[in-house]
Amino acid sequence: MRSGPGPAHDRRAVSGLLRGIYLPRSADAGALAMATYGIPLLVLATTGSAALTGLAFVLEWIPRLVAFALAGTMVDRYGTTVVFRLASAARALVALAAALVLPAQTHGSGATVTVMVLAASTGTLTQFSYIAAETAGAAASREAGESAHRVQSVLLGIDQVATLAGPALAGLLLQWTGAAGMLAALACFSLLGAALAPKQPPQPPPAGPLPVVRGLRTGWATLRSLPALAWLVTGLTVSNLAVGLLQAAAPVIVVTELGHSSADVGLVWSAAAVTSLLAVALCRTAIGRYGLWPVGAVSALIAASACLAVATAHSYTTYLTMIAVLMAGEGGMTVVLRTLRSRLIPPEKFAGTLSLTILLLLLPFPLAGLLVAVTPPRLLGHVITGCAVIQAVGLATAFARLRVQPAVRAASS
């Protein structure tokens, strides 16, 4: 007679996670990676302008930020399945429409308008599917109990595999098949996500208007009641100004300043994903052995040191290496964030609070795009150095505060 779950139960649990969480997350992560890293490359290839590339980054991120509050409220009201499926299908339609329109607009303002609208619309729709996928993943983490960090490590690993393949695939497709090939691949990932939408219990139909503002207020009140999570989000928000700047500036630095191809831009982020995957694998074991704070603090030190070194990189190899080390540190901190978030936020307030935390984390990205748009390419190194210093100070302050938080010690035990 068994006193607990046996191998058959474990196999069913793994199978349920694979079909209900991991597969739809994989499809959505592939679409997200191609949109995030491929569209700025598409803008640079279409317009040839560093300023417009930075502006496209802004247009890609501002609608995402606006969409977060509504996305969290819709997930709370309608459920993850409906929101995920509709957002993925709409993104596929947008990508296919752009793939048909762009080849006929090789010159003039029509192509510029098309890629800018594409950046804004895919950015918005991606956040609806992302919030739905994150909410489903958090529910799976809560069900996993003490193994929550393992579920979150798998989810982060899926994201990093997508980041490994997505930028390289986008760059190669753009170089060899043009915009149509890259956008067709983005549409395929989106359609696959719509077909595999995570299966969650249906929600009752809404009785009134969506309380978006109330959802934000609830999320803000919840975040303020969790100082450990609030300090971690604050530190990562400051850090993301440097990360966003490097992401927005990558096409300009690699193509314009270092003289490499769009495929080489994708290779930078693919190499970064490899090191991030290794970091996630190490953190998965290290958190169980050493706790959340030591793993997060070491990851923060690695990220800040690498970001300071990026500004001095004068060759493609050095630049690629430093970006890879930086993203390894970011990967470790993200595991800590996701584990703490899934353990501390009450289930009934999760989607709204998740939306607020991600909104705060991504606020620096439009600012980073503006910095790239207004900074001459030859001066980007100085701006990166300044942002790296701000990142180091922000992370040091946040983790100093986190060290004395009881919630961090409890989550580490």
Side-chain angles (χ1 to χ4, degrees):
M1 185 172 70
R2 290 191 178 98
S3 58
H9 176 274
D10 294 338
R11 286 195 297 271
R12 287 194 298 270
V14 171
S15 177
L17 284 172
L18 179 64
R19 173 59 186 88
I21 304 296
Y22 297 151
L23 285 179
R25 179 61 167 261
S26 298
D28 189 63
L32 172 62
M34 290 200 69
T36 300
Y37 298 99
I39 289 178
L41 281 173
L42 178 60
V43 173
L44 184 62
T46 301
T47 66
S49 170
L52 287 177
T53 302
L55 182 59
F57 196 80
V58 176
L59 291 177
E60 188 177 6
W61 280 103
I62 286 181
R64 292 187 182 192
L65 300 181
V66 174
F68 268 120
L70 180 59
T73 303
M74 289 187 69
V75 170
D76 281 336
R77 296 294 296 274
Y78 295 107
T80 59
T81 303
V82 172
V83 175
F84 187 93
R85 179 168 289 142
L86 290 178
S88 298
R91 184 176 55 212
L93 291 175
V94 169
L96 287 174
L100 294 174
V101 170
L102 270 178
Q105 297 178 329
T106 55
H107 301 287
S109 59
T112 301
V113 172
T114 299
V115 292
M116 293 300 184
V117 172
L118 175 67
S121 56
T122 55
T124 302
L125 293 168
T126 293
Q127 294 319 300
F128 280 89
S129 63
Y130 178 75
I131 290 292
E134 278 287 279
T135 303
S141 296
R142 288 191 294 270
E143 292 177 2
E146 294 299 321
S147 299
H149 68 282
R150 296 183 180 275
V151 175
Q152 288 298 324
S153 295
V154 173
L155 293 175
L156 185 56
I158 289 171
D159 291 345
Q160 295 306 321
V161 169
T163 305
L164 167 63
L169 180 61
L172 288 172
L173 287 173
L174 184 60
Q175 184 174 354
W176 296 108
T177 68
M182 191 198 81
L183 293 173
L186 172 60
C188 287
F189 278 112
S190 299
L191 288 174
L192 183 61
L196 295 173
K199 306 297 183 183
Q200 298 290 314
Q203 302 293 316
L210 295 175
V212 177
V213 175
R214 189 176 68 188
L216 282 177
R217 289 175 179 171
T218 300
W220 179 252
T222 303
L223 185 62
R224 290 184 62 186
S225 70
L226 303 171
L229 183 60
W231 275 112
L232 183 56
V233 169
T234 300
L236 291 178
T237 298
V238 175
S239 176
N240 277 350
L241 177 61
V243 175
L245 179 64
L246 291 172
Q247 185 176 318
V252 179
I253 292 175
V254 174
V255 176
T256 304
E257 296 298 298
L258 299 179
H260 284 253
S261 68
S262 59
D264 290 326
V265 180
L267 182 60
V268 168
W269 297 110
S270 295
V274 171
T275 58
S276 188
L277 276 171
L278 294 175
V280 168
L282 289 174
C283 289
R284 178 176 177 174
T285 302
I287 287 174
R289 184 172 181 179
Y290 300 108
L292 287 173
W293 188 87
V295 173
V298 171
S299 299
L301 178 62
I302 292 172
S305 301
C307 192
L308 286 167
V310 167
T312 65
H314 298 295
S315 70
Y316 176 77
T317 301
T318 304
Y319 179 81
L320 181 149
T321 302
M322 290 301 99
I323 291 292
V325 175
L326 166 65
M327 297 312 294
E330 287 289 321
M333 288 191 290
T334 303
V335 173
V336 173
L337 171 65
R338 290 187 173 187
T339 302
L340 197 62
R341 192 169 60 193
S342 65
R343 292 184 179 183
L344 295 183
I345 301 176
E348 67 276 7
K349 301 177 181 178
F350 188 86
T353 308
L354 172 66
S355 297
L356 178 67
T357 58
I358 298 178
L359 175 63
L360 295 173
L361 289 170
L362 297 185
L363 278 175
F365 281 80
L367 177 58
L370 285 175
L371 287 174
V372 173
V374 302
T375 303
R378 67 181 184 279
L379 298 180
L380 278 174
H382 299 294
V383 179
I384 292 172
T385 300
C387 290
V389 172
I390 295 173
Q391 177 196 45
V393 173
L395 289 176
T397 302
F399 277 93
R401 295 281 188 171
L402 280 172
R403 189 173 186 178
V404 298
Q405 291 296 324
V408 175
R409 293 197 296 269
S412 300
S413 61

